Every structure is written in structure tokens, then in C-alpha cells.
């Protein structure tokens, strides 16, 4: 599961799917990974990485950077810049979102992400917290955006963060409730047939991205440097090296 922003669907203005979709069009992931990671991380456009079982190309193709489309969706949702200050308003209230971030994990890109959203007309209230503070605030639904990522060889981790039963006391920080999404993510881990299991995960990704529950940011690509004489590299199923096997040729 790549690094992505989970968008709270129970708190304005991200309770509006048009606003969430606009946020996906407002962020340039390809540019972000070049600026923040010198191109050493890949851009993400889905809640699963391309190498993960069940990855859906269709879900990954729903959004690409398009500031004009972002503006059109916000106009449609009634958020306009009436006073010309660059920030959008609706019924006298600013288009304000609360972004709780951990500099440990997001320090490379959190200000750039804020800048993309600000350019689209959002007022971004960026608050930095430690892990405990972020979990407490996200569990209470005090956020509009919170970062989530998971290194796993299996797509089953989606259940932890997108099944609605995990809203209270768990990590389902989008607070989104959908019977079809719950069904797909609960049935997939117990489905033996690989094709049927992959289809269930594909359905889940499609629901997640069509509803813009997530704003994907970057993949967790692993970069390792070594001398040419180092050999016998092997990795476990999650991409961690078995260093005890490494030797000099």
C-alpha cells in the first residue's frame, strides 16, 4: 500500500465527493516525487502498488494532474473565489481542510502537497504531530487529510483501513461506510480462487478511487547502493533483504 492521504468523508468540506475528486486532480505526483525524492520513489495513483496482487490498472487510471478539472469540480460544488484572493469560499466560509502530518514520514513532501492544494484554492491548515497524536486525532475524525502507508506482500491490508467496522477503534480514518466495499474486502481474504480474489480487490480499489477516499502520493521503492563485488542478494516477500546471505564475490 503506497503512501496516500486518507480523506475524511464525515467532515466538511471533504464530505463532498466533488471536493475529494478535485483534490486528486490538483496534485502532480510525478513532479512531487522528483522534487521530494529526486525521482527515487515512484508516483502513486492507486491505493495498491503496481507489483501487488490484485492491482487494478483501471482504478489507477481515474485521476491525473489536471488543475483545470480540479477548478471545474470545485466550481460545480459551489466553491468559488469571489474576492480574488486565490482561496475559494462558499456561503462565506473558506474552503479549509485540516492536514495532520508527521514530519518523520511526510517531511519531504508535506509542504509541497500543501502548495498544490493551496494553488487549487484550498486553505490548508497543516498541523504536525507525533505518531500517537496523529492516531488520536485521526481516530476522533478531527482531520480532512491523514497519511497512511503499509509495506505488505498482500492486498489484505486494505481491510484494516477501508472496512467500516474499523472506524471505531481501528484505522478506517476515511469514516466511509459502503456495503459493497465492506463485502469485497471481507470476502477477498477468505476467497481461495485467485481470479475471484483478484476481482474482489479490483472492485474494492474501484470503489475507493471512484469515491476519491484516497489521494495517492508515492510508492515505497527501495533503493540500495553497493560495491560491484557484493553478491548473493535475496529478498523476502515484502522486499526486505536477507543480509545474512550477502557476501563478497
Amino acid at each position: 500500500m503506497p503512501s496516500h492521504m486518507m480523506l475524511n468523508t464525515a467532515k466538511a468540506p471533504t464530505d463532498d465527493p466533488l471536493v475529494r475528486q478535485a483534490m486528486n486532480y490538483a496534485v502532480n505526483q510525478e513532479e512531487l516525487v522528483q522534487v521530494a525524492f529526486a525521482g527515487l520513489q515512484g508516483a502513486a495513483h492507486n491505493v495498491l502498488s503496481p507489483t501487488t496482487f490484485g492491482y487494478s490498472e483501471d482504478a489507477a487510471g481515474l485521476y491525473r494532474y489536471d488543475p483545470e478539472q480540479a477548478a471545474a469540480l470545485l466550481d460545480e460544488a459551489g466553491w468559488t473565489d469571489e474576492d480574488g484572493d486565490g482561496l475559494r469560499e462558499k456561503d462565506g466560509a473558506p474552503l479549509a481542510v485540516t492536514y495532520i502530518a508527521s514530519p518523520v514520514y511526510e517531511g519531504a513532501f508535506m509542504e509541497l502537497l500543501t502548495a498544490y492544494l493551496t494553488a487549487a484554492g484550498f486553505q490548508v491548515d497543516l498541523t504536525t504531530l507525533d505518531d500517537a497524536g496523529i492516531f488520536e486525532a485521526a481516530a476522533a475524525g478531527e482531520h480532512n487529510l491523514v497519511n497512511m502507508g503499509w509495506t505488505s506482500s498482500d492486498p489484505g491490508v486494505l481491510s484494516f483501513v477501508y472496512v467500516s467496522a474499523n472506524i471505531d477503534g481501528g484505522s478506517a480514518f476515511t469514516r466511509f461506510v459502503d456495503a459493497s466495499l465492506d463485502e469485497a474486502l471481507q470476502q477477498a481474504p477468505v476467497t481461495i480462487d485467485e481470479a475471484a480474489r483478484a476481482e474482489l480487490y479490483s472492485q474494492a480499489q474501484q470503489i475507493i478511487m471512484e469515491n476519491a477516499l484516497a489521494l495517492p502520493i508515492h510508492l515505497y521503492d527501495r533503493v540500495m547502493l553497493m560495491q560491484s563485488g557484493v553478491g548473493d542478494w535475496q529478498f523476502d516477500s515484502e522486499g526486505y533483504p536477507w543480509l545474512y546471505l550477502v557476501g563478497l564475490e
Side-chain angles (χ1 to χ4, degrees):
M1 182 189 295
S3 172
H4 65 283
M5 297 296 117
M6 300 183 72
L7 306 182
N8 186 351
T9 66
K11 180 182 178 183
T14 51
D15 57 343
D16 186 340
L18 293 177
V19 171
R20 300 194 301 269
Q21 291 167 5
M23 295 170 82
N24 270 273
Y25 284 115
V27 175
N28 187 341
Q29 288 92 338
E30 277 71 22
E31 181 180 70
L32 183 149
V33 296
Q34 291 296 326
V35 173
F37 302 111
L40 297 178
Q41 300 291 301
H45 296 286
N46 194 1
V47 288
L48 290 182
S49 300
T51 55
T52 305
F53 173 82
Y55 174 79
S56 170
E57 289 282 1
D58 290 340
L62 289 176
Y63 307 100
R64 287 297 184 274
Y65 177 58
D66 188 341
E68 292 184 358
Q69 180 64 11
L73 288 170
L74 292 174
D75 287 341
E76 183 181 349
W79 295 98
T80 58
D81 180 14
E82 296 294 338
D83 56 12
D85 66 350
L87 299 178
R88 291 173 176 264
E89 305 88 19
K90 182 179 181 180
D91 300 328
L95 181 58
V97 291
T98 300
Y99 172 21
I100 53 176
S102 167
V104 174
Y105 302 109
E106 299 157 74
F109 66 82
M110 62 188 187
E111 292 183 355
L112 180 54
L113 174 60
T114 297
Y116 285 130
L117 296 175
T118 300
F122 287 84
Q123 173 186 309
V124 182
D125 300 323
L126 174 61
T127 301
T128 57
L129 300 169
D130 61 14
D131 283 355
I134 286 176
F135 189 88
E136 181 179 354
E142 297 172 357
H143 66 292
N144 293 105
L145 299 91
V146 65
N147 183 252
M148 175 61 71
W150 213 301
T151 301
S152 173
S153 60
D154 190 90
V157 293
L158 287 175
S159 300
F160 299 132
V161 291
Y162 288 105
V163 170
S164 62
N166 294 323
I167 292 175
D168 295 324
S171 301
F173 298 142
T174 65
R175 310 185 79 82
F176 182 77
V177 179
D178 181 88
S180 297
L181 179 58
D182 287 344
E183 177 72 11
L185 289 178
Q186 289 169 333
Q187 288 300 314
V190 297
T191 298
I192 296 175
D193 181 82
E194 283 199 355
R197 187 168 186 257
E199 176 58 27
L200 287 168
Y201 281 121
S202 178
Q203 292 173 15
Q205 292 164 75
Q206 200 72 19
I207 294 170
I208 290 168
M209 295 309 301
E210 283 181 350
N211 286 279
L213 308 183
L215 171 53
I217 301 297
H218 68 88
L219 305 177
Y220 290 122
D221 293 327
R222 193 176 306 279
V223 179
M224 307 186 76
L225 300 178
M226 66 202 75
Q227 295 180 352
S228 59
V230 178
D232 297 324
W233 284 95
Q234 293 188 36
F235 300 85
D236 67 14
S237 60
E238 295 185 353
Y240 292 101
W242 289 339
L243 294 176
Y244 69 90
L245 296 173
V246 175
L248 292 174
E249 297 176 350

